[in-house]
Amino acid sequence: MLSLFCTSMARGGQFSDSVKVYNAGINGNNTVNLLARIDRDVLRRNPELVVLMVGTNDMLHTDKSLGMEQYEKNYQELISCLKKKADLVLMTIPPVYAPYLVQRKPQFKGDLKAPQARVDSANMVIRRLAAKNNCKLVDLNTILTACGGANTDKESLFQNEANMGIADGVHPTANGYKVIAAAVYETIKDCKPGVKSVVCFGDSITKGYRMQGEGKTEGDSYPAVLQRMLNQHL
């Protein structure tokens, strides 16, 4: 699966050398935080396209987790605000490695099924809202699960003790970000091939936690890889 997406990254496309991608990811953000900064970090840039991924902290953060009803309400508000100004691509949130999470998240009380169940519930909301609002959807969870999901292997697309020296299980590796960028690239190529400006809006997964160039569009985060792809510099 990884080789399939990496092959797609090398193909020529219909994009010019002037596509600008903005990395609007911030560590620890949930839907409440995104709503609070949507004008400053997204709308003032007048993007043609916004790629939205949010929900990991709404589901898993010890202090910022929300009930499903509030999460859906906030997510719909984000969609409504963004669609007034730009085209919108939604992404489901990635799978997680539950044993790491239950070690450091007291709210799960050692229940290994609980973290992924929360992620799955959020993704049901995202898929439903994508259909309801006629938004393009990148089913990132399905893609990354097909690539092996989050596990403890050194080759995992998620940060773990074997590849990054950290019991993370939530944030992608550099190779994981290549897969994400390729999936977004293929969607943009299909739905908006002449795009000139893209804002990637989200939390630490968008920001590129622990990656080279974290929070920027140079380095290994998915917005950085996406910008290179759109400008055909890979």
Side-chain angles (χ1 to χ4, degrees):
M1 194 74 175
L2 176 57
S3 62
L4 171 64
F5 280 111
C6 289
T7 298
S8 75
M9 288 164 57
R11 297 183 195 138
Q14 305 171 53
F15 301 96
S16 72
D17 287 338
S18 59
V19 184
K20 177 62 178 176
V21 177
Y22 298 93
N23 187 335
I26 293 182
N27 294 346
N29 270 200
N30 65 1
T31 51
V32 174
N33 302 124
L34 264 60
L35 285 167
R37 64 185 180 90
I38 192 169
D39 289 315
R40 182 194 72 198
D41 291 347
V42 182
L43 299 182
R44 73 173 182 86
R45 300 185 189 277
N46 295 312
E48 296 175 52
L49 180 70
V50 177
V51 182
L52 175 65
M53 178 170 52
V54 62
T56 298
N57 289 309
D58 300 76
M59 297 299 107
L60 305 176
H61 197 288
T62 301
D63 300 319
K64 293 186 176 181
S65 61
L66 300 178
M68 296 310 303
E69 183 176 349
Q70 187 62 50
Y71 173 67
E72 184 163 357
K73 179 178 182 294
N74 292 352
Y75 204 113
Q76 178 60 60
E77 188 174 349
L78 285 166
I79 291 173
S80 298
C81 290
L82 292 168
K83 284 199 75 175
K84 291 177 182 178
K85 300 292 185 178
D87 290 330
L88 184 59
V89 171
L90 308 181
M91 281 201 283
T92 55
I93 61 176
V96 296
Y97 185 63
Y100 284 163
L101 285 170
V102 299
Q103 289 175 13
R104 65 177 188 265
K105 302 286 184 180
Q107 72 266 32
F108 296 126
K109 300 178 180 179
D111 183 355
L112 288 173
K113 295 182 179 179
Q116 190 61 51
R118 291 277 288 168
V119 168
D120 292 344
S121 294
N123 285 333
M124 288 178 63
V125 168
I126 295 168
R127 294 181 185 110
R128 180 167 62 248
L129 292 180
K132 175 183 175 182
N133 292 277
N134 195 28
C135 295
K136 291 290 184 180
L137 177 68
V138 175
D139 197 341
L140 187 62
N141 187 281
T142 297
I143 292 167
L144 291 173
T145 298
C147 291
N151 56 58
T152 58
D153 295 342
K154 187 174 182 179
E155 295 75 23
S156 174
L157 299 182
F158 290 83
Q159 298 176 33
N160 61 30
E161 292 173 298
N163 57 39
M164 296 284 287
I166 182 173
D168 185 300
V170 174
H171 299 92
T173 62
N175 280 336
Y177 277 117
K178 289 178 182 178
V179 173
I180 296 172
V184 175
Y185 170 80
E186 290 295 328
T187 299
I188 294 175
K189 187 173 71 172
D190 289 340
C191 74
K192 202 170 181 65
V195 70
K196 299 292 185 182
S197 61
V198 180
V199 171
C200 300
F201 194 29
D203 54 32
S204 58
I205 296 175
T206 294
K207 185 179 181 183
Y209 178 68
R210 289 173 60 92
M211 291 292 103
Q212 180 182 356
E214 180 177 348
K216 302 177 181 178
T217 48
E218 302 86 25
D220 294 327
S221 69
Y222 101 75
V225 178
L226 179 64
Q227 177 159 276
R228 295 196 294 273
M229 292 176 64
L230 293 176
N231 287 299
Q232 302 178 32
H233 290 164
L234 285 177

